[in-house]
């Protein structure tokens, strides 16, 4: 991923946003008319704002519902403009240079071209009533809150419930009583051996998923010091060596990290005990897995309860003029009030950045409902390191830098293939980070 939130575009198509057309169909009659993505005037007034988003038609139900409710309640008109994703970043940049930015936007990433035009959302982010998880808001060096996530995504574990039951092996169901990675691997291996499953675990070929596992084993993965120089600690080295060792074509298939085999398809075949992926899989599994029962289970903690948590999207306000900036801030303040924000999450299928909410999602699948409940219970328990990479990317963007090519996948793949040691892979990954975003 090159910038904050870029991962969102790929996840939307295959993951939890598939549920949104259900909400859209239910509420279509009451929704505000949305522009199709052409140009629009910016620099609104206290009674008229422009709000840019970028999402697939039919998957904007929550935003439509929110702006319609806001207009009805306050009399302020919010013109919602849905811009095609492929051109969104360019349109924002061009608009910044032409002084024609919208008043509010949901963006996939921050950009140094327009980051100095953002209004400060500190009052909203720090409002104790909202209970916004501070680990995932984007701040500059002065502490100014530049954006608040529209939603969050998190890594997590899925198990083949049918195989566990067939083997007579138990698994935890509450994040308050989770297992360690050692306990998980022992249980998954036992299930594999008792049921003749092909593998104990498949694991996305993803730096994010590896980071999460390393965090849970007490490491910091590739971490920068106060001077921006990256390194890895001993706990990270130990965790990565353990991970490489799991890829023995028994515990894990080598083919995922060495040749790009599809771990999700492997899990959905029914021949794999567990799958380390994330919340974006839930809606897909609710529809696609019919040959066995599945379940989301608490992330392992050894000893750290953590994950890798990122922004699904980022809401921002632009300081176009005094009246519009004040009105934009009022709208965003209203949006993040718990009742209003919960309605947005329910209609759009968002995993909330606010704690203490209990969204009701339009899933018929009990496993999917239970999965979202588990994620919502787990995220408030995660160690602050869970949001480190999300924040780091914001800092890189503000310095005009990006991690255009994360070397993790290629270097770890070489280690799994026996071409180099795990420690050498980490040396090369650190060098890649220092070259691209160090200093």
């Amino acid at each position: 991923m090159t910038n904050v939130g870029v991962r969102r575009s790929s996840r939307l198509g295959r993951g939890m946003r598939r549920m949104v057309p259900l909400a859209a169909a239910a509420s279509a009659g009451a929704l505000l008319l949305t522009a199709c993505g052409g140009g629009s005037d910016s620099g609104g007034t206290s009674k008229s704002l422009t709000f840019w988003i970028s999402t697939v038609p039919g998957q904007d139900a929550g935003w439509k519902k929110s702006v319609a409710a806001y207009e009805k309640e306050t009399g302020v008109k919010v013109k919602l403009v849905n811009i095609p994703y492929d051109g969104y970043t360019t349109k924002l940049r061009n608009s910044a240079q032409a002084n024609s930015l919208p008043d509010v936007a949901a963006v996939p990433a921050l950009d140094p071209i327009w980051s100095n035009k953002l209004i400060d959302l500190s009052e909203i982010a720090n409002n104790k009533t909202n209970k916004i998880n501070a680990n995932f808001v984007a701040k500059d060096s002065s502490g100014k809150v530049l954006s608040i996530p529209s939603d969050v995504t998190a890594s997590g574990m899925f198990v083949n419930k049918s195989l566990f039951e067939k083997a007579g092996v138990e698994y935890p169901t509450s994040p308050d009583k989770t297992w360690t990675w050692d306990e998980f691997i022992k249980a998954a291996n036992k299930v594999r051996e008792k049921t003749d499953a092909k593998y104990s675990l498949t694991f996305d070929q993803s730096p994010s998923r590896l980071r999460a596992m390393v965090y849970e084993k007490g490491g910091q993965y590739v971490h920068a010091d106060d001077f921006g120089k990256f390194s890895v600690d001993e706990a990270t080295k130990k965790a990565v060596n353990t991970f490489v060792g799991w890829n023995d074509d028994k515990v894990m298939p080598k083919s995922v990290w060495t040749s790009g085999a599809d771990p999700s398809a492997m899990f959905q075949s029914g021949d794999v005990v567990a799958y380390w992926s994330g919340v974006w899989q839930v809606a897909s599994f609710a529809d696609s897995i019919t040959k066995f029962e599945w379940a989301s289970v608490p992330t392992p903690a050894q000893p750290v309860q953590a994950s890798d948590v990122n922004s699904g999207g980022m809401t921002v306000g632009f300081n176009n003029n005094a009246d519009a900036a004040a009105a934009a801030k009022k709208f965003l303040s209203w949006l993040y009030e718990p009742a209003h924000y919960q309605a947005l999450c329910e209609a759009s299928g968002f995993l909330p950045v606010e704690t203490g909410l209990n969204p009701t999602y339009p899933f018929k699948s009990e496993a999917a409902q239970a999965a979202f409940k588990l994620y919502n219970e787990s995220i408030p328990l995660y160690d602050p390191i869970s949001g480190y990479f999300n924040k780091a990317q914001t800092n890189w963007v503000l310095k005009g830098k990006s991690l255009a090519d994360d070397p993790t996948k290629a270097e770890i793949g070489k280690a799994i293939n026996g071409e180099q040691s795990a420690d050498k892979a980490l040396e090369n990954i650190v060098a890649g980070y220092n070259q691209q975003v160090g200093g």
Side-chain angles (χ1 to χ4, degrees):
M1 183 164 73
T2 58
N3 276 326
V4 179
V6 169
R7 207 174 316 189
R8 175 189 175 110
S9 62
S10 62
R11 287 177 176 173
L12 297 191
R14 63 191 172 119
M16 68 180 182
R17 301 306 198 271
R18 292 185 184 182
M19 67 181 282
V20 179
L22 298 174
S27 56
L31 301 181
L32 188 68
L33 178 65
T34 305
C36 63
S40 66
D41 295 330
S42 69
T45 68
S46 61
K47 290 295 183 181
S48 180
L49 299 173
T50 301
F51 182 12
W52 286 8
I53 62 172
S54 182
T55 188
V56 178
Q59 293 188 334
D60 50 3
W63 295 123
K64 287 182 173 181
K65 185 175 181 180
S66 294
V67 298
Y70 187 70
E71 182 173 3
K72 182 177 180 180
E73 184 175 321
T74 66
V76 176
K77 182 174 180 60
V78 181
K79 182 182 180 183
L80 194 64
V81 183
N82 194 354
I83 297 168
Y85 183 83
D86 287 343
Y88 194 25
T89 299
T90 300
K91 188 169 179 62
L92 282 164
R93 286 189 165 197
N94 291 343
S95 297
Q97 292 167 343
N99 291 318
S100 60
L101 283 162
D103 302 299
V104 184
V107 299
L110 298 182
D111 192 316
I113 295 294
W114 45 256
S115 60
N116 64 335
K117 300 178 184 294
L118 296 174
I119 61 176
D120 188 358
L121 304 181
S122 297
E123 290 181 19
I124 302 169
N126 298 332
N127 186 322
K128 294 182 179 180
T129 302
N130 297 341
K131 297 182 180 178
I132 293 172
N133 194 319
N135 292 327
F136 312 120
V137 300
K139 299 180 181 179
D140 67 11
S141 58
S142 72
K144 174 182 176 180
V145 173
L146 304 175
S147 71
I148 302 171
S150 58
D151 61 313
V152 295
T153 63
S155 298
M157 186 77 77
F158 300 92
V159 298
N160 185 319
K161 182 179 177 181
S162 298
L163 289 180
F164 268 84
E165 290 178 349
K166 182 178 180 180
V169 176
E170 295 184 350
Y171 56 83
T173 58
S174 169
D176 293 326
K177 297 180 180 179
T178 190
W179 45 11
T180 65
W181 273 100
D182 289 347
E183 290 167 342
F184 159 72
I185 291 293
K186 182 178 180 180
N189 285 344
K190 187 174 181 180
V191 172
R192 170 174 55 84
E193 293 161 0
K194 285 196 169 188
T195 61
D196 294 323
K198 195 168 184 180
Y199 304 112
S200 301
L201 174 67
T202 56
F203 196 115
D204 284 343
Q205 188 193 25
S206 163
S208 175
R209 243 63 76 231
L210 184 60
R211 276 196 301 272
M213 187 272 276
V214 170
Y215 294 162
E216 290 155 358
K217 280 180 165 285
Q220 295 185 318
Y221 194 57
V222 182
H223 211 89
D225 61 19
D226 292 340
F227 302 99
K229 184 177 181 180
F230 289 90
S231 63
V232 294
D233 55 17
E234 290 302 316
T236 296
K237 292 179 182 179
K238 184 176 179 180
V240 171
N241 272 274
T242 297
F243 172 73
V244 170
W246 287 342
N247 287 265
D248 61 357
D249 282 332
K250 290 183 180 179
V251 177
M252 288 177 60
K254 291 183 178 181
S255 59
V256 173
W257 277 72
T258 60
S259 54
D262 185 347
S264 179
M266 290 181 181
F267 178 69
Q268 292 183 69
S269 73
D271 295 328
V272 178
V273 176
Y275 176 33
W276 184 237
S277 188
V279 66
W280 52 92
Q281 299 284 0
V282 171
S284 175
F285 287 174
D287 295 330
S288 62
I289 297 180
T290 58
K291 62 188 297 184
F292 62 88
E293 290 189 76
W294 62 275
S296 277
V297 295
T299 52
Q302 193 171 331
V304 182
Q305 195 150 7
S307 182
D308 186 56
V309 183
N310 291 282
S311 301
M314 311 171 78
T315 54
V316 298
F318 291 102
N319 189 13
N320 292 315
N321 61 64
D323 284 348
K329 194 170 184 179
K330 285 182 180 179
F331 169 65
L332 290 173
S333 295
W334 179 92
L335 183 71
Y336 281 98
E337 290 177 13
H340 302 146
Y341 181 65
Q342 178 166 313
L344 170 66
C345 292
E346 290 174 342
S348 285
F350 287 168
L351 193 64
V353 71
E354 295 186 11
T355 61
L357 300 184
N358 187 28
T360 301
Y361 301 103
F363 286 123
K364 294 181 180 178
S365 163
E366 290 184 8
Q369 291 282 5
F372 266 77
K373 182 175 183 292
L374 178 65
Y375 277 98
N376 283 324
E377 290 174 347
S378 299
I379 287 177
L381 303 178
Y382 289 153
D383 189 89
I385 197 172
S386 302
Y388 167 76
F389 195 78
N390 191 51
K391 289 184 177 180
Q393 290 177 104
T394 296
N395 293 332
W396 301 337
V397 168
L398 296 177
K399 294 176 182 177
K401 301 178 180 181
S402 67
L403 190 65
D405 179 24
D406 191 322
T408 296
K409 292 192 288 186
E411 297 298 334
I412 296 298
K414 291 177 187 176
I416 291 170
N417 238 0
E419 299 172 44
Q420 63 185 6
S421 68
D423 286 350
K424 181 61 177 177
L426 284 171
E427 286 180 23
N428 293 339
I429 294 167
V430 167
Y433 272 63
N434 278 322
Q435 181 181 5
Q436 296 179 70
V437 291

